[in-house]
Amino acid sequence: MDKLIEIDKITAAYGNKTVLKDVSLTVWKDDFLGIIGPNGGGKTTLLKVILGLLQPVSGAIRFYQNGVEVSSLRIGYLPQLNNIDRKFPISVWEVVASGLAAEKPRFRSYTAVQKERIEVVIRQMGLEDLYTRSIGELSGGQLQRVLLGRSIVSRPQLLILDEPTRGIDVGAKWEIYNIIIDLAKQGVGIILVSSEMEEIINLSDRILVMCEGQINGCLTKEEATQEKIMNLASEVQVCERTII
C-alpha cells in the first residue's frame, strides 16, 4: 500500500510549552484513521502540523504521491463547527466555491469546468435547494455539509476532519457520516479527530490513541473496544509498538 504522509519523530510546541513529543506516524493512501484522546492530548496540534499551520520544533514530515516524495498534497480540512462565524454575509454556493480559490486567478471568474465541479459537490452534499441561502440561515447540520463541500471541491487526496459532528443533532450527524463513508470508498484518505468513542469505532479502520502529546497505541477496527481505548488513553507511558 502506498503511503501519503510519513511523520518522523515530530516534536511541536507553543512557545515554551511542548504539546507533541517525538511522534511518529504513517498515513496510507485510502486510510481511514481515527484519532481519539483526552482534551489537551495533542490531537489538534498534530492536525496543525500536517496542515502546515504549525512548524515543528524537531523531526520531519514527508508527503508522497504514487510512491514518490513530493513537496505537498491536496488536503481538505473540515474544522469544528463552533469556529465558524455565521454572521459573515456569504452564500452556500460562495462557501463551496471558495474551496477552489487557490485554483482561480485573482479577480477572475470561475471557469465553466470549475462551476460544474461546484454544482456537483453541492448536489453531493444534498444542498441544491439552498445554494443561494446565506450561511446565517442554515441549521448546524446544513452548515457543516456546506463546509464539507468546500473541503472536497478541490478533490483532495486527504481529508482532515476535526470533530465534524460536534454540536449537531443525531439525524444531521448521520448525513455527515454517510457522506464521509462515501468519500472513503472513492479513495480519499481520511483523518478523523473525534471525542465520540462510538463515532471513532464505527467509522475508522485504524484508531490512534493520543495522550499528553504522545501516541499511546494504535488499534485496528477489529481490535478496538471502548475498554481498550480507555485503557490506552489513561496510560502515562507511550506503548512501544511501532505505529505503521
PDB file of all heavy atoms in Angstrom, residues 98-118:
ATOM      1  N   SER A  98     -15.344  28.701  -2.592  1.00  0.00           N
ATOM      2  CA  SER A  98     -14.093  29.190  -2.013  1.00  0.00           C
ATOM      3  C   SER A  98     -13.056  28.086  -1.852  1.00  0.00           C
ATOM      4  O   SER A  98     -11.864  28.362  -1.731  1.00  0.00           O
ATOM      5  CB  SER A  98     -14.361  29.855  -0.658  1.00  0.00           C
ATOM      6  OG  SER A  98     -14.754  28.905   0.325  1.00  0.00           O
ATOM      7  N   GLY A  99     -13.505  26.827  -1.891  1.00  0.00           N
ATOM      8  CA  GLY A  99     -12.557  25.717  -1.845  1.00  0.00           C
ATOM      9  C   GLY A  99     -11.709  25.608  -3.097  1.00  0.00           C
ATOM     10  O   GLY A  99     -10.706  24.886  -3.111  1.00  0.00           O
ATOM     11  N   LEU A 100     -12.088  26.339  -4.155  1.00  0.00           N
ATOM     12  CA  LEU A 100     -11.314  26.353  -5.405  1.00  0.00           C
ATOM     13  C   LEU A 100     -10.537  27.652  -5.581  1.00  0.00           C
ATOM     14  O   LEU A 100      -9.963  27.891  -6.644  1.00  0.00           O
ATOM     15  CB  LEU A 100     -12.245  26.170  -6.609  1.00  0.00           C
ATOM     16  CG  LEU A 100     -12.887  24.790  -6.778  1.00  0.00           C
ATOM     17  CD1 LEU A 100     -13.826  24.793  -7.983  1.00  0.00           C
ATOM     18  CD2 LEU A 100     -11.828  23.709  -6.926  1.00  0.00           C
ATOM     19  N   ALA A 101     -10.510  28.485  -4.554  1.00  0.00           N
ATOM     20  CA  ALA A 101      -9.870  29.799  -4.676  1.00  0.00           C
ATOM     21  C   ALA A 101      -8.412  29.701  -5.093  1.00  0.00           C
ATOM     22  O   ALA A 101      -7.914  30.533  -5.861  1.00  0.00           O
ATOM     23  CB  ALA A 101      -9.985  30.562  -3.354  1.00  0.00           C
ATOM     24  N   ALA A 102      -7.723  28.678  -4.611  1.00  0.00           N
ATOM     25  CA  ALA A 102      -6.305  28.535  -4.941  1.00  0.00           C
ATOM     26  C   ALA A 102      -6.084  28.196  -6.417  1.00  0.00           C
ATOM     27  O   ALA A 102      -4.998  28.420  -6.955  1.00  0.00           O
ATOM     28  CB  ALA A 102      -5.664  27.461  -4.064  1.00  0.00           C
ATOM     29  N   GLU A 103      -7.117  27.672  -7.085  1.00  0.00           N
ATOM     30  CA  GLU A 103      -7.003  27.292  -8.493  1.00  0.00           C
ATOM     31  C   GLU A 103      -7.436  28.405  -9.441  1.00  0.00           C
ATOM     32  O   GLU A 103      -7.252  28.292 -10.649  1.00  0.00           O
ATOM     33  CB  GLU A 103      -7.859  26.044  -8.770  1.00  0.00           C
ATOM     34  CG  GLU A 103      -7.477  24.832  -7.944  1.00  0.00           C
ATOM     35  CD  GLU A 103      -8.359  23.639  -8.263  1.00  0.00           C
ATOM     36  OE1 GLU A 103      -8.943  23.606  -9.371  1.00  0.00           O
ATOM     37  OE2 GLU A 103      -8.476  22.754  -7.409  1.00  0.00           O
ATOM     38  N   LYS A 104      -8.024  29.461  -8.897  1.00  0.00           N
ATOM     39  CA  LYS A 104      -8.599  30.527  -9.729  1.00  0.00           C
ATOM     40  C   LYS A 104      -7.708  31.769  -9.689  1.00  0.00           C
ATOM     41  O   LYS A 104      -7.335  32.236  -8.614  1.00  0.00           O
ATOM     42  CB  LYS A 104      -9.996  30.891  -9.219  1.00  0.00           C
ATOM     43  CG  LYS A 104     -10.694  31.972 -10.006  1.00  0.00           C
ATOM     44  CD  LYS A 104     -12.086  32.225  -9.468  1.00  0.00           C
ATOM     45  CE  LYS A 104     -12.071  32.992  -8.169  1.00  0.00           C
ATOM     46  NZ  LYS A 104     -11.639  34.410  -8.328  1.00  0.00           N
ATOM     47  N   PRO A 105      -7.346  32.333 -10.840  1.00  0.00           N
ATOM     48  CA  PRO A 105      -6.598  33.594 -10.836  1.00  0.00           C
ATOM     49  C   PRO A 105      -7.381  34.682 -10.113  1.00  0.00           C
ATOM     50  O   PRO A 105      -8.613  34.750 -10.217  1.00  0.00           O
ATOM     51  CB  PRO A 105      -6.455  33.926 -12.332  1.00  0.00           C
ATOM     52  CG  PRO A 105      -6.618  32.623 -13.029  1.00  0.00           C
ATOM     53  CD  PRO A 105      -7.588  31.828 -12.201  1.00  0.00           C
ATOM     54  N   ARG A 106      -6.691  35.514  -9.373  1.00  0.00           N
ATOM     55  CA  ARG A 106      -7.335  36.559  -8.597  1.00  0.00           C
ATOM     56  C   ARG A 106      -8.133  37.502  -9.507  1.00  0.00           C
ATOM     57  O   ARG A 106      -7.676  37.867 -10.585  1.00  0.00           O
ATOM     58  CB  ARG A 106      -6.289  37.346  -7.813  1.00  0.00           C
ATOM     59  CG  ARG A 106      -6.875  38.370  -6.851  1.00  0.00           C
ATOM     60  CD  ARG A 106      -5.805  39.012  -6.010  1.00  0.00           C
ATOM     61  NE  ARG A 106      -5.177  38.059  -5.118  1.00  0.00           N
ATOM     62  CZ  ARG A 106      -4.249  38.398  -4.220  1.00  0.00           C
ATOM     63  NH1 ARG A 106      -3.836  39.654  -4.144  1.00  0.00           N
ATOM     64  NH2 ARG A 106      -3.729  37.481  -3.435  1.00  0.00           N
ATOM     65  N   PHE A 107      -9.318  37.860  -9.052  1.00  0.00           N
ATOM     66  CA  PHE A 107     -10.224  38.802  -9.727  1.00  0.00           C
ATOM     67  C   PHE A 107     -10.795  38.257 -11.032  1.00  0.00           C
ATOM     68  O   PHE A 107     -11.332  39.012 -11.836  1.00  0.00           O
ATOM     69  CB  PHE A 107      -9.537  40.146  -9.988  1.00  0.00           C
ATOM     70  CG  PHE A 107      -8.940  40.762  -8.747  1.00  0.00           C
ATOM     71  CD1 PHE A 107      -7.594  41.108  -8.711  1.00  0.00           C
ATOM     72  CD2 PHE A 107      -9.717  40.983  -7.621  1.00  0.00           C
ATOM     73  CE1 PHE A 107      -7.035  41.661  -7.572  1.00  0.00           C
ATOM     74  CE2 PHE A 107      -9.168  41.543  -6.483  1.00  0.00           C
ATOM     75  CZ  PHE A 107      -7.827  41.884  -6.448  1.00  0.00           C
ATOM     76  N   ARG A 108     -10.688  36.956 -11.243  1.00  0.00           N
ATOM     77  CA  ARG A 108     -11.290  36.353 -12.429  1.00  0.00           C
ATOM     78  C   ARG A 108     -12.412  35.407 -12.012  1.00  0.00           C
ATOM     79  O   ARG A 108     -12.421  34.878 -10.898  1.00  0.00           O
ATOM     80  CB  ARG A 108     -10.248  35.599 -13.244  1.00  0.00           C
ATOM     81  CG  ARG A 108      -9.204  36.515 -13.871  1.00  0.00           C
ATOM     82  CD  ARG A 108      -8.394  35.793 -14.918  1.00  0.00           C
ATOM     83  NE  ARG A 108      -7.375  36.657 -15.501  1.00  0.00           N
ATOM     84  CZ  ARG A 108      -6.534  36.269 -16.452  1.00  0.00           C
ATOM     85  NH1 ARG A 108      -6.584  35.032 -16.929  1.00  0.00           N
ATOM     86  NH2 ARG A 108      -5.641  37.114 -16.938  1.00  0.00           N
ATOM     87  N   SER A 109     -13.340  35.177 -12.922  1.00  0.00           N
ATOM     88  CA  SER A 109     -14.463  34.293 -12.633  1.00  0.00           C
ATOM     89  C   SER A 109     -14.014  32.834 -12.679  1.00  0.00           C
ATOM     90  O   SER A 109     -12.978  32.498 -13.281  1.00  0.00           O
ATOM     91  CB  SER A 109     -15.577  34.508 -13.662  1.00  0.00           C
ATOM     92  OG  SER A 109     -16.052  35.841 -13.614  1.00  0.00           O
ATOM     93  N   TYR A 110     -14.799  31.987 -12.051  1.00  0.00           N
ATOM     94  CA  TYR A 110     -14.547  30.550 -12.167  1.00  0.00           C
ATOM     95  C   TYR A 110     -14.837  30.109 -13.606  1.00  0.00           C
ATOM     96  O   TYR A 110     -15.727  30.637 -14.265  1.00  0.00           O
ATOM     97  CB  TYR A 110     -15.436  29.773 -11.195  1.00  0.00           C
ATOM     98  CG  TYR A 110     -15.085  30.012  -9.739  1.00  0.00           C
ATOM     99  CD1 TYR A 110     -15.803  30.931  -8.978  1.00  0.00           C
ATOM    100  CD2 TYR A 110     -14.037  29.332  -9.143  1.00  0.00           C
ATOM    101  CE1 TYR A 110     -15.474  31.152  -7.648  1.00  0.00           C
ATOM    102  CE2 TYR A 110     -13.704  29.548  -7.817  1.00  0.00           C
ATOM    103  CZ  TYR A 110     -14.422  30.464  -7.074  1.00  0.00           C
ATOM    104  OH  TYR A 110     -14.089  30.697  -5.766  1.00  0.00           O
ATOM    105  N   THR A 111     -14.113  29.123 -14.061  1.00  0.00           N
ATOM    106  CA  THR A 111     -14.342  28.591 -15.402  1.00  0.00           C
ATOM    107  C   THR A 111     -15.614  27.750 -15.395  1.00  0.00           C
ATOM    108  O   THR A 111     -16.139  27.381 -14.337  1.00  0.00           O
ATOM    109  CB  THR A 111     -13.159  27.722 -15.850  1.00  0.00           C
ATOM    110  OG1 THR A 111     -13.103  26.552 -15.001  1.00  0.00           O
ATOM    111  CG2 THR A 111     -11.854  28.488 -15.767  1.00  0.00           C
ATOM    112  N   ALA A 112     -16.063  27.409 -16.578  1.00  0.00           N
ATOM    113  CA  ALA A 112     -17.255  26.563 -16.696  1.00  0.00           C
ATOM    114  C   ALA A 112     -17.026  25.207 -16.040  1.00  0.00           C
ATOM    115  O   ALA A 112     -17.917  24.651 -15.386  1.00  0.00           O
ATOM    116  CB  ALA A 112     -17.622  26.390 -18.170  1.00  0.00           C
ATOM    117  N   VAL A 113     -15.818  24.675 -16.189  1.00  0.00           N
ATOM    118  CA  VAL A 113     -15.486  23.378 -15.581  1.00  0.00           C
ATOM    119  C   VAL A 113     -15.514  23.485 -14.057  1.00  0.00           C
ATOM    120  O   VAL A 113     -16.048  22.600 -13.360  1.00  0.00           O
ATOM    121  CB  VAL A 113     -14.101  22.896 -16.057  1.00  0.00           C
ATOM    122  CG1 VAL A 113     -13.646  21.669 -15.272  1.00  0.00           C
ATOM    123  CG2 VAL A 113     -14.133  22.582 -17.548  1.00  0.00           C
ATOM    124  N   GLN A 114     -14.962  24.570 -13.529  1.00  0.00           N
ATOM    125  CA  GLN A 114     -14.966  24.753 -12.076  1.00  0.00           C
ATOM    126  C   GLN A 114     -16.385  24.930 -11.548  1.00  0.00           C
ATOM    127  O   GLN A 114     -16.744  24.384 -10.498  1.00  0.00           O
ATOM    128  CB  GLN A 114     -14.099  25.957 -11.705  1.00  0.00           C
ATOM    129  CG  GLN A 114     -12.602  25.716 -11.895  1.00  0.00           C
ATOM    130  CD  GLN A 114     -11.786  26.980 -11.723  1.00  0.00           C
ATOM    131  OE1 GLN A 114     -12.244  28.086 -12.028  1.00  0.00           O
ATOM    132  NE2 GLN A 114     -10.558  26.828 -11.228  1.00  0.00           N
ATOM    133  N   LYS A 115     -17.203  25.691 -12.274  1.00  0.00           N
ATOM    134  CA  LYS A 115     -18.589  25.883 -11.843  1.00  0.00           C
ATOM    135  C   LYS A 115     -19.342  24.557 -11.821  1.00  0.00           C
ATOM    136  O   LYS A 115     -20.157  24.316 -10.924  1.00  0.00           O
ATOM    137  CB  LYS A 115     -19.291  26.881 -12.774  1.00  0.00           C
ATOM    138  CG  LYS A 115     -18.812  28.319 -12.602  1.00  0.00           C
ATOM    139  CD  LYS A 115     -19.513  29.255 -13.577  1.00  0.00           C
ATOM    140  CE  LYS A 115     -19.044  30.690 -13.398  1.00  0.00           C
ATOM    141  NZ  LYS A 115     -19.672  31.623 -14.370  1.00  0.00           N
ATOM    142  N   GLU A 116     -19.051  23.701 -12.788  1.00  0.00           N
ATOM    143  CA  GLU A 116     -19.694  22.389 -12.806  1.00  0.00           C
ATOM    144  C   GLU A 116     -19.259  21.559 -11.601  1.00  0.00           C
ATOM    145  O   GLU A 116     -20.073  20.858 -10.988  1.00  0.00           O
ATOM    146  CB  GLU A 116     -19.358  21.659 -14.107  1.00  0.00           C
ATOM    147  CG  GLU A 116     -19.909  20.231 -14.189  1.00  0.00           C
ATOM    148  CD  GLU A 116     -21.427  20.159 -14.081  1.00  0.00           C
ATOM    149  OE1 GLU A 116     -22.121  21.160 -14.354  1.00  0.00           O
ATOM    150  OE2 GLU A 116     -21.927  19.084 -13.706  1.00  0.00           O
ATOM    151  N   ARG A 117     -17.982  21.637 -11.247  1.00  0.00           N
ATOM    152  CA  ARG A 117     -17.497  20.918 -10.063  1.00  0.00           C
ATOM    153  C   ARG A 117     -18.203  21.408  -8.807  1.00  0.00           C
ATOM    154  O   ARG A 117     -18.567  20.617  -7.927  1.00  0.00           O
ATOM    155  CB  ARG A 117     -15.980  21.087  -9.919  1.00  0.00           C
ATOM    156  CG  ARG A 117     -15.182  20.200 -10.860  1.00  0.00           C
ATOM    157  CD  ARG A 117     -13.722  20.575 -10.906  1.00  0.00           C
ATOM    158  NE  ARG A 117     -13.053  20.476  -9.628  1.00  0.00           N
ATOM    159  CZ  ARG A 117     -11.776  20.808  -9.429  1.00  0.00           C
ATOM    160  NH1 ARG A 117     -11.061  21.279 -10.438  1.00  0.00           N
ATOM    161  NH2 ARG A 117     -11.227  20.685  -8.247  1.00  0.00           N
ATOM    162  N   ILE A 118     -18.399  22.703  -8.710  1.00  0.00           N
ATOM    163  CA  ILE A 118     -19.088  23.279  -7.553  1.00  0.00           C
ATOM    164  C   ILE A 118     -20.521  22.765  -7.488  1.00  0.00           C
ATOM    165  O   ILE A 118     -21.005  22.352  -6.423  1.00  0.00           O
ATOM    166  CB  ILE A 118     -19.051  24.816  -7.618  1.00  0.00           C
ATOM    167  CG1 ILE A 118     -17.613  25.322  -7.484  1.00  0.00           C
ATOM    168  CG2 ILE A 118     -19.936  25.433  -6.531  1.00  0.00           C
ATOM    169  CD1 ILE A 118     -17.420  26.763  -7.917  1.00  0.00           C
TER     170      ILE A 118
END
